[in-house]
Amino acid sequence: MTEDMTIVGEEAYRAAKEILEAARLPEGALFVVGCSTSEVGGASIGTFSSPELAEAVFGNIYQATQEAGVFLAAQCCEHLNRALIVEQDAAEKYGLETVNVVPQPKAGGSFATAAYRSLEHPVAVEHIKAHAGMDIGDTLIGMHLKSVAVPVRIRTKQIGDAHVVCARTRAKFIGGDRAMYDESLL
């Protein structure tokens, strides 16, 4: 199982690096990740929560976000209404209202639990508008992205047995046909 954990961790790191590079996020941006460890392990979402898989996936994604200088937001499962675990500094920077909950593997999910245990000053929040994100196992992170999400195809299509979908966001276009746009914001 240790070899499997190493492979899953490497896949998670590689996928995070790919989307973070493609999204070109500024320092301090929000990067949301939803992860079903059940799906990573080959089971149906919500049926086989795995703290061990969560540690491998979270640790490697967290390393990639630290290297990129962005804040990681770990999405909880539906039992906590998809609340998010973030560093207190991120909540303060973005004016996010904290809520009182501590995720557990069966109420919040193993990935969010790993985040809560690993972050320096973890807090839970109900809503964010992230700059980019990664969905591991079809956990539906779209509600936590800014208004205009743009799909990003990365080479890493799976982490373990879980399907991976990524997105970045961009500013809205306004003004119609005669408007000019800043190409650097695309």
Side-chain angles (χ1 to χ4, degrees):
M1 191 67 162
T2 303
E3 182 179 325
D4 291 342
M5 295 293 176
T6 301
I7 292 168
V8 164
E10 290 170 354
E11 290 169 343
Y13 179 79
R14 187 171 54 248
K17 289 291 279 190
E18 287 178 55
I19 178 59
L20 291 168
E21 288 171 7
R24 300 183 321 259
L25 301 178
E27 188 171 327
L30 289 169
F31 179 68
V32 63
V33 176
C35 176
S36 167
T37 58
S38 299
E39 293 277 337
V40 171
S44 294
I45 194 168
T47 64
F48 191 72
S49 192
S50 171
E52 297 80 17
L53 280 173
E55 289 293 332
V57 174
F58 174 81
N60 283 279
I61 292 172
Y62 186 59
Q63 179 183 342
T65 61
Q66 292 293 286
E67 291 169 3
V70 300
F71 288 113
L72 175 59
Q75 178 181 266
C76 296
C77 73
E78 66 181 297
H79 297 98
L80 296 186
N81 298 328
R82 304 209 192 291
L84 303 117
I85 305 304
V86 298
E87 281 287 4
Q88 184 175 358
D89 288 349
E92 290 172 3
K93 176 178 179 170
Y94 289 99
L96 305 173
E97 183 177 351
T98 60
V99 294
N100 187 359
V101 69
V102 176
Q104 303 299 308
K106 295 288 186 182
S110 291
F111 185 79
T113 301
Y116 197 89
R117 291 178 180 162
S118 299
L119 296 177
E120 192 172 334
H121 299 289
V123 296
V125 300
E126 287 187 285
H127 308 285
I128 64 169
K129 291 294 181 188
H131 302 89
M134 180 166 53
D135 186 321
I136 305 165
D138 304 316
T139 61
L140 303 176
I141 63 165
M143 65 193 289
H144 297 303
L145 292 170
K146 289 184 172 204
S147 296
V148 183
V150 178
V152 176
R153 305 282 184 245
I154 62 172
R155 290 181 306 280
T156 305
K157 304 293 184 203
Q158 288 184 221
I159 296 175
D161 288 336
H163 180 236
V164 175
V165 175
C166 297
R168 65 174 179 83
T169 61
R170 65 161 175 78
K172 294 178 184 180
F173 292 148
I174 63 168
D177 292 342
R178 294 185 291 177
M180 300 289 295
Y181 299 107
D182 181 343
E183 295 290 322
S184 71
L185 297 177
L186 301 179

